[in-house]
Amino acid sequence: MSNVRPDSMARITTPELAEKFIEEQIAEVRAQVGDKKVLLALSGGVDSSVVAALLIKAIGKQLVCVHVNHGLMRKGESEQVIEVFQNQLDANLIYIDATDRFLDLLAGVSEPEKKRKIIGGEFIKVFDEEASKLEGISFLAQGTIYPDILESDGVKAHHNVGGLPEDMQFELVEPVKLLYKDEVRVVGKALGLPASMVDRQPFPGPGLGVRCLGAITRDRLNALREADAILREEFDNAKLNETVWQYFIAVPDFKSVGVKDSKRYEGWPAIIRAVNTTDAMSATIEEIPYEILHKITARITAEVDGINRVLYDLTPKPIGTIEWE
Ligand code: XMP
């Protein structure tokens, strides 16, 4: 398969077209791989999840998935990867909880680019270590999609934490590399992946590491994770997940005075960011009903240890980037 999408290739918009694509790819992957083994870094994001489901269908246990939990996942994410791939799809899945390795290295590091470098570098190290323990792997599967190829000299290149070492001696298997994101989602649904996995919002490779501002501490990271889970739940309940492109919480590393149970209560603020965009280059702020903002505020301040204020970020991009960091 070349790296250029032919003009004649119809956009995959229906389950029927997705089925046809899946059948073609299964044949192609089987022809490429034969009886050899394929390794895949499965983050739980849309692209790697769809590649995993497709390859499980094509080659079953010849696929070895490695899921590295860097400790910066959102609430329930690694659990969902295990539930869907190990329990439901019976995948050959190696789960590595590397939380301590990452958080120990990140302790005391406050500079954003340094944090990104540490997370990216350690990810490669952990993955490499696992890969070298495995025998007989000949191929590396990747969830490359067409915009990645188009933008490979552009913005996203430095973004991709999941990027793997260039000296890895594997031939690549990239079954969705000519698809756009919306097509990957249609294929994912046709493969039976849950909507919560296929329709998920973009999530940066360094995960909550870019939203736990300044030097990451475990208590503040936990507060961020819990607050983010509440935000997502309430956006789902209000069906805002269908109209808002990306929404999350960021927690800065300073405290302010508050009052709880008639006592002084110092806590961090939770900052809500909810934006709409088509290409992430610019972004607008949606009107979120006040009623929902009040409910989210009440829940976060009541349920999350360490948070005593909730703020709503009204800044479009530009001037604000989407992520804080
Ligand atoms: P910014 O903050 O630059 O973000 O306005 C634009 C979009 O990119 C996402 N983002 C990332 N995506 N790896 C990714 O795959 C990353 O390291 C990364 N950093 C930011 C961000 O969430 C937003 O959707």
Side-chain angles (χ1 to χ4, degrees):
M1 196 174 23
S2 94
N3 272 353
V4 181
R5 183 173 167 126
D7 290 338
S8 59
M9 188 171 158
R11 195 98 173 189
I12 300 170
T13 50
T14 63
E16 294 72 32
L17 289 169
E19 287 299 344
K20 186 166 162 275
F21 173 84
I22 292 164
E23 290 314 317
E24 284 164 9
Q25 286 309 313
I26 288 176
E28 211 165 296
V29 168
R30 284 183 183 154
Q32 184 189 5
V33 169
D35 60 1
K36 305 256 172 46
K37 281 193 193 160
V38 181
L39 182 64
L40 170 72
L42 176 58
S43 68
V46 179
D47 307 333
S48 66
S49 296
V50 171
V51 167
L54 186 60
L55 293 186
I56 289 166
K57 214 164 171 192
I59 56 171
K61 293 274 162 83
Q62 284 165 254
L63 175 73
V64 183
C65 302
V66 176
H67 176 69
V68 177
N69 178 357
H70 51 23
L72 302 163
M73 309 290 279
R74 286 171 294 186
K75 189 171 181 177
E77 268 183 325
S78 286
E79 291 81 354
Q80 186 185 38
V81 168
I82 294 171
E83 170 56 30
V84 170
F85 289 98
Q86 190 159 289
N87 301 350
Q88 294 174 21
L89 297 178
D90 194 28
N92 211 339
L93 173 71
I94 299 172
Y95 170 68
I96 302 156
D97 183 354
T99 301
D100 288 338
R101 278 178 70 159
F102 282 85
L103 296 189
D104 287 352
L105 278 176
L106 286 165
V109 181
S110 57
E111 200 199 307
E113 283 304 311
K114 223 175 184 173
K115 286 164 70 181
R116 276 180 177 274
K117 280 214 176 86
I118 290 174
I119 298 166
E122 193 62 10
F123 183 91
I124 289 173
K125 236 170 146 181
V126 174
F127 187 78
D128 226 5
E129 281 170 23
E130 281 314 305
S132 65
K133 286 185 206 160
L134 299 167
E135 284 188 2
I137 303 279
S138 313
F139 295 87
L140 185 71
Q142 284 191 334
T144 313
I145 66 172
Y146 203 46
D148 297 336
I149 293 174
L150 297 177
E151 292 164 18
S152 60
D153 294 327
V155 180
K156 203 168 170 193
H158 82 275
H159 265 161
N160 266 344
V161 154
L164 296 168
E166 282 169 11
D167 59 355
M168 273 196 164
Q169 297 300 314
F170 300 122
E171 193 182 317
L172 293 179
V173 178
E174 298 178 302
V176 298
K177 74 175 177 187
L178 296 186
L179 303 192
Y180 289 100
K181 196 80 169 192
D182 53 323
E183 298 178 288
V184 178
R185 295 189 207 275
V186 178
V187 169
K189 281 183 192 143
L191 285 163
L193 289 175
S196 59
M197 193 163 241
V198 172
D199 290 331
R200 73 196 329 177
Q201 25 167 346
F203 187 60
L208 299 181
V210 297
R211 299 176 183 169
C212 192
L213 311 177
I216 297 169
T217 57
R218 289 173 195 246
D219 52 356
R220 197 156 50 85
L221 180 61
N222 276 340
L224 162 60
R225 186 178 284 119
E226 294 301 323
D228 183 70
I230 292 171
L231 177 80
R232 286 194 287 143
E233 197 181 311
E234 292 302 332
F235 265 48
D236 281 353
N237 289 342
K239 298 208 184 320
L240 287 168
N241 58 323
E242 293 169 13
T243 55
V244 182
W245 193 77
Q246 194 173 15
Y247 44 96
F248 56 85
I249 299 277
V251 178
D253 64 346
F254 60 81
K255 288 186 171 179
S256 69
V257 175
V259 58
K260 195 175 192 178
D261 303 328
S262 314
K263 279 194 215 92
R264 182 183 170 100
Y265 184 70
E266 289 186 10
W268 304 289
I271 301 163
I272 301 175
R273 187 96 172 114
V275 299
N276 264 337
T277 177
T278 44
D279 57 7
M281 304 292 284
S282 64
T284 55
I285 301 302
E286 285 304 293
E287 298 279 319
I288 305 298
Y290 259 87
E291 194 192 335
I292 294 165
L293 292 173
H294 282 304
K295 185 166 183 210
I296 292 167
T297 303
R299 280 198 61 195
I300 290 177
T301 50
E303 295 173 35
V304 182
D305 263 355
I307 303 276
N308 68 353
R309 289 173 199 265
V310 177
L311 316 182
Y312 186 56
D313 183 354
L314 281 168
T315 321
K317 175 181 179 177
I319 183 171
T321 48
I322 294 177
E323 299 293 344
W324 275 58
E325 60 178 288

